[in-house]
Amino acid sequence: MTEPARKLDPVPEPLAEGRDPKAEPLSVLVADDQPDVLEAMRILLKGEGFETHTVNSPAAVLHILDRRDFDALLLDMNSTRDTTSGSEGLELLSELQTLEPTLPVIVMTAWGSVGGAVESPRRGARDYIEKPWDNARLLSVLRTQIELGRALRKAQRVETENRLLRPPGGVLPKIIADSPKMRPVLQLMEKIGPSDANVLVSGEHGTGKELVAQWLHAVSPRAQRSFVAVNMGGLSEGVFESELFGH
């Protein structure tokens, strides 16, 4: 006597929370040489609100990625039916790491092996799914990697923008300080600059506090990030928090 099928609990959708209903659906590229796998994946992902595109070879993957962007790639490791080594998938992973380093790639194979599970992350895969897959796990992994991929791309965009805002050459701010009383200050700056210590620079208006802060930033481990100066004297007490952190 067969056991009646049990209804699975709905899979949580962290990406759907807070998403603009008018936003474009998340797009997933699925690469597999078996039409039935592609169709099953298309039906599953469509039911979860994903826009799905399918291809059946590594060459087709590269071709479509050259034409448009995707939020994630589900990649079968073996594109030839009589191949079980996963070498085709590993070669493509290496190529994708060069061409699309921020694209989350989740590899799939019916021939699960410790070697493949270890080697694929080294080549750039974000996770590893064995066939036949568990729907709940596949969707969970997919959503997680899309979130991480979007965060990575956003961080890289911010870093690029910050790099454009920095002075060319990374030249240290020039500090003119010939007074003997400034020598201990300069020596202390050289000691604490490369550290992670918090620094309070005090002094009268116009004595060069911001210049000292810029110099410390330029020699610190955070030198490749932006330096943001805030005129605290220009902020009234009543609007301090809203000016810095929003309403």
Side-chain angles (χ1 to χ4, degrees):
M1 181 175 178
T2 58
E3 182 181 354
R6 290 177 295 175
K7 184 178 180 181
L8 296 176
D9 294 332
V11 179
E13 299 186 25
L15 279 175
E17 184 177 348
R19 268 181 69 81
D20 183 353
K22 297 181 180 179
E24 293 185 3
L26 301 172
S27 59
V28 179
L29 177 61
V30 184
D32 199 292
D33 64 322
Q34 299 182 47
D36 54 341
V37 170
L38 294 177
E39 181 63 13
M41 194 67 72
R42 187 189 65 79
I43 294 173
L44 171 65
L45 297 181
K46 182 179 179 181
E48 296 296 324
F50 292 96
E51 176 188 319
T52 308
H53 293 256
T54 60
V55 293
N56 58 9
S57 70
V61 171
L62 297 175
H63 178 71
I64 195 170
L65 287 178
D66 188 51
R67 299 168 57 189
R68 59 158 296 173
D69 296 326
F70 290 91
D71 291 295
L73 166 61
L74 287 166
L75 174 66
D76 180 42
M77 293 293 284
N78 300 299
S79 297
T80 305
R81 289 181 181 273
D82 59 354
T83 299
T84 61
S85 65
S87 59
E88 292 172 304
L90 293 174
E91 290 173 7
L92 181 57
L93 278 173
S94 298
E95 206 165 345
L96 291 173
Q97 188 67 11
T98 302
L99 299 175
E100 298 283 349
T102 62
L103 175 67
V105 181
I106 302 161
V107 298
M108 307 182 297
T109 182
W111 309 96
S113 68
V114 175
V118 171
E119 185 61 24
S120 57
R122 292 177 180 172
R123 302 287 185 99
R126 302 288 179 83
D127 215 319
Y128 192 91
I129 301 288
E130 286 189 38
K131 297 177 182 176
W133 62 82
D134 175 76
N135 287 350
R137 181 176 184 275
L138 187 147
L139 292 169
S140 175
V141 168
L142 184 60
R143 291 188 175 109
T144 298
Q145 294 306 327
I146 288 177
E147 279 194 285
L148 293 175
R150 288 191 161 193
L152 177 60
R153 286 192 289 272
K154 181 179 180 180
Q156 290 187 346
R157 284 197 301 269
V158 171
E159 174 59 25
T160 300
E161 293 169 359
N162 289 344
R163 193 181 302 115
L164 295 174
L165 295 173
R166 295 185 202 115
V171 179
L172 289 176
K174 186 176 182 181
I175 297 179
I176 301 175
D178 296 329
S179 170
K181 291 186 178 181
M182 282 297 295
R183 289 174 187 167
V185 177
L186 297 176
Q187 292 172 353
L188 181 60
M189 288 167 58
E190 290 178 353
K191 288 181 179 180
I192 64 177
S195 74
D196 288 326
N198 296 321
V199 182
L200 173 64
V201 184
S202 60
E204 297 295 328
H205 179 70
T207 54
K209 298 186 294 297
E210 184 175 332
L211 190 63
V212 170
Q214 290 175 345
W215 193 95
L216 291 172
H217 175 77
V219 299
S220 75
R222 300 167 298 283
Q224 296 303 312
R225 300 181 182 178
S226 296
F227 174 85
V228 180
V230 179
N231 179 14
M232 302 301 295
L235 299 177
S236 62
E237 182 178 354
V239 298
F240 173 76
E241 291 184 357
S242 62
E243 287 287 339
L244 287 183
F245 308 111
H247 297 283

